Amino acid sequence: MAGMRGNGETAEKWAEIEKAASENRRELVLQGPNIDKKIQTSGLNPSIYSLKLLNYLEISQCPSLTEIHQEIENLTHLQSLILCRNKLSTIPKAVGCLKSLKVLDVSVNELRALPDELSQLNELNTLNVSCNHIEGLPDGLSRCTKLSTINISKNEITRFPEDLYSAELELLSTIIASENSIEELSGDISNLSALKNLDLSNNKLTDIPFDLADCPKLKEINFKGNKLKDKRLEKMVNGCQTKSILDYLRAGGRGKGKGKSQNGSEKEEGSREKDKKKRTDKRLKNKKDEDEVEEVSRMVVKVLHVSDSATAFTVKVAPQVKDVRPYIVCCVVKGINLKPGNALKRFLTAQIKLHDEICGKRTVATIATHDLQLLHWPLLYDARPPKSLKTDAWAPAAATEHCYSIRAKNKVINTMDLIRQLHLEAEEQRKQKKRQNVSGLHKYLQLLDGKENYPCVVDAQGHVISFPPITNSEKTKMRKSTAELFVEVTSSTSLQTCKDVMDALIVKMAELNKFTFDNKEEVLSDGESDLASEKAAEPAAGEMTSSELVVQQVRIVDMDGNLKVVYPSKTDLSSDVTNLTVMR
C-alpha cells in the first residue's frame, strides 16, 4: 500500500522532513504532485512520525496516500492535522492519543467510517470530514466539549448520533451536513445553545422540528432540497430569510397550535380555526398563491446572451494554463446594489463562506470579482513564471480576508517577491500572535507550492488583474459604487466545478440583492473620488426600483478564437430555488 511502504532503515530520506527536523520546525506542509510521486514510489517516509515538536501537519493532494500509520500517536503536540484531498480509506485509532489536537481535516478522501477514539479529543474544536463515504458518526462526540464546527457534508450519513444533540456541546456553533441521506432531525437540536449555522440542504428530511426555533443564537439555516410534508414550509426554506422560517416554526406551522408552549384550550381553538379554514380553503388558497407569485416575481435573474449584447465580452485562454489551472468560466453581473448599509460587507462575507465551503478553502475552486468599469478588454487567462509576472497593487480575493497590499511606493513587484514577502509576514504574524498556523490571505500561500508557473488574468493593457487562487488586483476591486461586476471562477478540478460554484454565487447574489431591496437601508458613499467611481455612483435609470439581476454571457475562447465555453449556457443556473426565476 502506497501510504505505508518504507521503514526507518530502507526508506529514502526526504529533504522536507530532514529540514523540519534540523530546524526544529513546528509546522510542516507536504502536498502536491512532487510529494505524491515520492509516496507512490516508496510510501510516506516514516521519519515524519519522529517530528515530535510539530503542532501543525498537513499532507494533502496526494492520491497515492491511502493510510496513516499508528505511529501518528507520537506527535503529541499536534494542534492541527490536515489530511485532505488524498485517498485515505481509514483513520488510525491512534489519532485518539493526540490530546492537544484542535483541528482535524480529513475531507475529500475515501473514508467509510471514523474511529470511536475521536471522542477522546477533548481539545478538538473543528472537525471536517466532508466529501467522503461515511455512513455514520461515532458515538461519544459529546465528550468533545470544545467542538465549535462540524462539517460532514457530501457523505452517506442517515442520522445524527443522539449525543450530538447534547447540551454538553455548549460551544457548537456550526453544523454543515448538506448532501447526505439524513431522514430526521430531532427536536433535541434545541439543546445546542450556541448553534448559529445549520446546513441540512439536499437530504431526505420530511419534517423540521418546531423546537429548532428554540435555539437562541440561530442566525442561518439551510434546508433547501428536502421534500417536506408541509409544502408551505418547503417553499419558505427555498426562498425566505432564516427569521421568517423560525417565526413560522415558532408559531407551530401552517395549522398553528402545534408549538409546545400552547395549552389544551389553545389546541381546541386551533381545531375550530382549522374547521373554519376548511370551509374557506379555496378562497384562501387562491389568495395565498397570488401572494406567493408576487413574492417570487421580486427575485429574478435575467440572462443576456452574447448575441443580444452590443458589446460581447471575451476571455482568451493560453495553452500554458493546461498544466497549472486549466478551467475557467466568467460572466458579467449587472444590477447589483452595494450602496445601502452593509450590502457590500454582506456580499464579501458570502464570498468568503463560498470559498470555505463549496470551494473547499480554495483547493477546489476560487472566485474573483472585479468592477467591470475598471477593466480593459479583451482579457487573457495565462500562466507565467513568477519572476516575469508583475503587478503594482494587490488586494485579497475578498476584502474582508485581511488586506496585505504591496505597493512598494507604486513600483511594480514580481509575484516571486510578493509570495516571499507574504511568507515573511505570515511567519511574523504567527510569532506575534503565538499561533500554530496562519490566517487571512497567508493561509492560501501553500496552494502554490511546487508550481513553476502561476495562473493569472491579464487585461488588454498588460495589467495582471487576478492571481488565482491567491489574490486580485487593487485596481479593479469592488466598491460601494460598483454596479456591474466581472466574475471569474477558476479551478484545477473540472469545468463543471467552475459552473457549480458560479451558479451558487449568482443565486447568493440574487438573495442578497433582494434582501437589500426589501430592507431599504440608507445609501452610503464609499468616498471614492476617481472618475470611474464617480460615474458608477451616478443614479442609473430605474435604480432602487427592482432587485432584478442581469447576467451577461462571457465567451471563453482559445488563442485562435475557437469557443471553449460560454456561461451561462442553457443548462446552467438550473436552480431548484423556488423563488428564483431565471429569464433566458
Side-chain angles (χ1 to χ4, degrees):
M1 287 175 277
M4 295 293 295
R5 287 197 299 266
N7 55 55
E9 296 179 357
T10 62
E12 180 181 350
K13 292 183 178 180
W14 287 18
E16 299 88 350
I17 297 177
E18 294 291 314
K19 185 175 182 180
S22 64
E23 297 180 0
N24 293 324
R25 289 196 173 189
R26 267 60 173 179
E27 179 177 327
L28 178 62
V29 176
L30 302 172
Q31 66 172 193
N34 293 335
I35 297 298
D36 185 58
K37 186 176 181 180
K38 291 183 179 181
I39 295 175
Q40 188 176 26
T41 302
S42 58
L44 181 62
N45 193 299
S47 61
I48 195 172
Y49 302 118
S50 65
L51 301 176
K52 296 185 178 181
L53 295 178
L54 285 181
N55 54 38
Y56 181 93
L57 173 62
E58 177 175 346
I59 310 173
S60 61
Q61 302 182 54
C62 297
S64 298
L65 184 64
T66 59
E67 291 188 65
I68 294 294
H69 197 275
Q70 292 281 348
E71 290 183 20
I72 191 76
E73 65 184 5
N74 295 334
L75 306 183
T76 54
H77 287 88
L78 272 186
Q79 296 183 31
S80 295
L81 178 59
I82 313 299
L83 300 171
C84 61
R85 305 188 67 77
N86 301 302
K87 293 292 183 181
L88 295 174
S89 58
T90 60
I91 298 297
K93 295 181 179 180
V95 74
C97 298
L98 306 178
K99 302 300 184 182
S100 299
L101 200 63
K102 296 181 180 179
V103 177
L104 177 61
D105 185 347
V106 290
S107 59
V108 197
N109 278 284
E110 300 291 338
L111 300 174
R112 293 195 172 275
L114 298 171
D116 291 338
E117 285 72 14
L118 284 184
S119 63
Q120 300 173 13
L121 302 177
N122 298 327
E123 296 296 317
L124 192 67
N125 61 48
T126 301
L127 176 64
N128 187 351
V129 299
S130 61
C131 302
N132 281 284
H133 307 289
I134 297 169
E135 298 178 357
L137 295 175
D139 292 326
L141 285 178
S142 61
R143 294 199 290 272
C144 302
T145 55
K146 295 186 179 181
L147 263 177
S148 172
T149 300
I150 296 178
N151 187 343
I152 57 174
S153 60
K154 297 185 178 180
N155 278 286
E156 299 170 18
I157 294 171
T158 58
R159 57 178 292 274
F160 287 145
E162 291 300 322
D163 66 345
L164 189 62
Y165 302 114
S166 172
E168 296 296 318
L169 297 174
E170 56 185 18
L171 300 179
L172 185 56
S173 62
T174 300
I175 300 177
I176 303 172
S178 57
E179 298 187 49
N180 279 281
S181 298
I182 298 171
E183 298 177 351
E184 182 182 6
L185 180 65
S186 171
D188 292 336
I189 189 76
S190 61
N191 292 332
L192 301 178
S193 58
L195 189 63
K196 294 181 180 178
N197 303 301
L198 177 63
D199 187 347
L200 276 162
S201 58
N202 298 311
N203 276 279
K204 295 183 178 180
L205 295 173
T206 57
D207 291 296
I208 300 177
F210 301 117
D211 311 74
L212 184 65
D214 294 327
C215 293
K217 294 186 178 180
L218 197 57
K219 299 296 183 184
E220 186 168 346
I221 58 177
N222 188 351
F223 287 94
K224 297 175 183 177
N226 288 284
K227 295 184 178 180
L228 303 178
K229 292 178 182 178
D230 186 338
K231 296 305 175 184
R232 171 60 178 167
L233 181 57
E234 185 174 313
K235 286 181 178 290
M236 293 185 70
V237 301
N238 284 327
C240 295
Q241 298 293 322
T242 294
K243 183 179 183 302
S244 300
I245 300 169
L246 294 181
D247 287 345
Y248 182 81
L249 293 173
R250 192 172 290 113
R254 180 189 295 276
K256 310 298 182 183
K258 294 180 182 177
K260 63 183 180 180
S261 63
Q262 294 178 313
N263 58 33
S265 61
E266 290 174 323
K267 290 181 180 180
E268 292 175 0
E269 181 180 351
S271 179
R272 291 193 295 270
E273 289 295 321
K274 186 175 181 180
D275 291 338
K276 181 180 178 181
K277 180 180 179 298
K278 285 182 179 180
R279 292 193 297 269
T280 58
D281 183 71
K282 185 175 181 179
R283 178 175 58 83
L284 293 177
K285 183 178 185 301
N286 290 338
K287 185 178 185 303
K288 185 188 301 180
D289 289 343
E290 292 172 0
D291 292 341
E292 289 174 355
V293 169
E294 182 180 353
E295 180 183 359
V296 169
S297 66
R298 290 190 297 165
M299 188 167 158
V300 176
V301 171
K302 182 179 179 181
V303 177
L304 182 60
H305 296 265
V306 173
S307 58
D308 300 330
S309 173
T311 306
F313 297 106
T314 302
V315 177
K316 289 187 176 182
V317 176
Q320 289 83 354
V321 302
K322 181 178 179 181
D323 298 323
V324 181
R325 196 176 183 86
Y327 306 107
I328 181 171
V329 297
C330 306
C331 68
V332 168
V333 180
K334 301 180 180 180
I336 190 77
N337 187 7
L338 301 174
K339 297 176 186 177
N342 291 319
L344 178 59
K345 182 178 179 181
R346 283 194 295 269
F347 178 87
L348 295 174
T349 300
Q351 185 175 332
I352 293 171
K353 185 174 180 181
L354 288 171
H355 268 147
D356 288 343
E357 295 177 1
I358 191 172
C359 294
K361 297 187 182 298
R362 303 197 195 185
T363 60
V364 176
T366 304
I367 303 166
T369 52
H370 309 269
D371 190 319
L372 180 67
Q373 294 193 10
L374 303 178
L375 298 179
H376 300 279
W377 295 84
L379 303 182
L380 172 67
Y381 182 44
D382 200 359
R384 300 177 179 179
K387 284 187 177 180
S388 64
L389 185 56
K390 298 181 179 181
T391 186
D392 57 359
W394 292 94
T400 54
E401 291 186 57
H402 199 98
C403 183
Y404 290 89
S405 298
I406 296 182
R407 298 181 183 275
K409 295 183 180 180
N410 295 322
K411 295 181 180 180
V412 295
I413 180 171
N414 66 55
T415 53
M416 181 172 287
D417 292 337
L418 172 69
I419 296 298
R420 185 183 298 114
Q421 178 66 29
L422 290 175
H423 273 297
L424 292 173
E425 288 182 1
E427 188 64 25
E428 184 63 26
Q429 179 195 80
R430 189 174 55 185
K431 289 179 180 179
Q432 290 179 356
K433 298 186 178 181
K434 298 180 179 179
R435 292 177 175 174
Q436 78 276 13
N437 51 17
V438 294
S439 60
L441 175 63
H442 298 128
K443 63 186 176 184
Y444 303 115
L445 297 178
Q446 43 86 16
L447 297 177
L448 290 174
D449 289 350
K451 297 289 192 300
E452 294 182 1
N453 294 316
Y454 291 169
C456 59
V457 177
V458 184
D459 71 4
Q461 295 185 348
H463 297 137
V464 177
I465 66 166
S466 181
F467 176 25
I470 303 299
T471 187
N472 301 337
S473 171
E474 178 81 11
K475 289 183 176 180
T476 61
K477 74 175 184 179
M478 295 166 52
R479 298 165 172 81
K480 277 187 170 292
S481 56
T482 300
E484 299 179 342
L485 293 178
F486 171 69
V487 186
E488 60 175 91
V489 176
T490 59
S491 174
S492 58
T493 305
S494 71
L495 184 63
Q496 189 59 48
T497 296
C498 292
K499 290 189 170 189
D500 291 344
V501 171
M502 188 72 86
D503 284 355
L505 176 63
I506 290 174
V507 170
K508 178 55 69 174
M509 290 173 69
E511 293 175 353
L512 293 174
N513 220 37
K514 180 176 181 295
F515 178 83
T516 300
F517 176 80
D518 290 346
N519 282 270
K520 307 296 182 186
E521 295 174 290
E522 181 183 356
V523 175
L524 302 176
S525 171
D526 61 358
E528 298 292 340
S529 58
D530 59 88
L531 183 61
S533 295
E534 288 175 0
K535 183 178 179 181
E538 294 174 0
E543 186 177 30
M544 297 298 291
T545 62
S546 171
S547 62
E548 177 179 302
L549 288 181
V550 174
V551 180
Q552 183 169 342
Q553 290 178 324
V554 171
R555 300 172 73 249
I556 307 296
V557 301
D558 63 19
M559 298 304 289
D560 295 325
N562 299 312
L563 181 65
K564 294 172 67 70
V565 63
V566 61
Y567 181 93
S569 66
K570 292 181 179 180
T571 58
D572 300 321
L573 277 176
S574 55
S575 174
D576 293 329
V577 180
T578 56
N579 69 331
L580 175 65
T581 300
V582 180
M583 301 174 59
R584 301 183 185 276

